[in-house]
Amino acid sequence: MSSKDAGVLQTIDQVLLQLIDQQERKVLELGLRIHPGLTPEDIRNPQDFPDLLESYQWNFEDGILAGLKSAHMALRAKLLESG
């Protein structure tokens, strides 16, 4: 992999981190509207909060977050593979 390609992948890595951060905040804010007092740790364990799991909107946004995290892990694996 060329250094240019590695630079592009690193830029994408940074963009994905920003998107993940933004989506985590969105999921937490929505979760707080559904169940006041939630913490970021609580959001990572939604099975403890049935009212979250009953919300189609929350599940949709959490699914987007999961997809972003999966894409980020795949990119990181590629970076490590080529490093």
Side-chain angles (χ1 to χ4, degrees), residues 4 7 23 26-27 30-31 44 50 55 67 69 78-79 81:
K4 181 180 177 185
Q23 190 65 20
K26 186 174 186 177
V27 168
L30 181 56
R44 288 188 283 277
S55 169
K69 287 181 175 182
K78 185 68 173 172
L79 285 168
E81 176 185 293

Side-chain angles (χ1 to χ4, degrees), residues 17-68:
L17 285 172
Q18 291 170 352
L19 290 170
I20 288 168
D21 182 60
Q22 178 182 359
Q23 190 65 20
E24 283 176 337
R25 284 185 271 123
K26 186 174 186 177
V27 168
L28 180 58
E29 288 171 11
L30 181 56
L32 285 168
R33 281 190 251 143
I34 297 166
H35 191 103
L38 288 174
T39 67
E41 181 64 29
D42 293 335
I43 293 296
R44 288 188 283 277
N45 298 295
Q47 69 279 0
D48 296 336
F49 303 93
D51 48 347
L52 286 182
L53 299 179
E54 292 171 2
S55 169
Y56 295 109
Q57 186 180 9
W58 188 87
N59 279 291
F60 177 79
E61 296 298 342
D62 190 51
I64 291 173
L65 178 58
L68 287 169

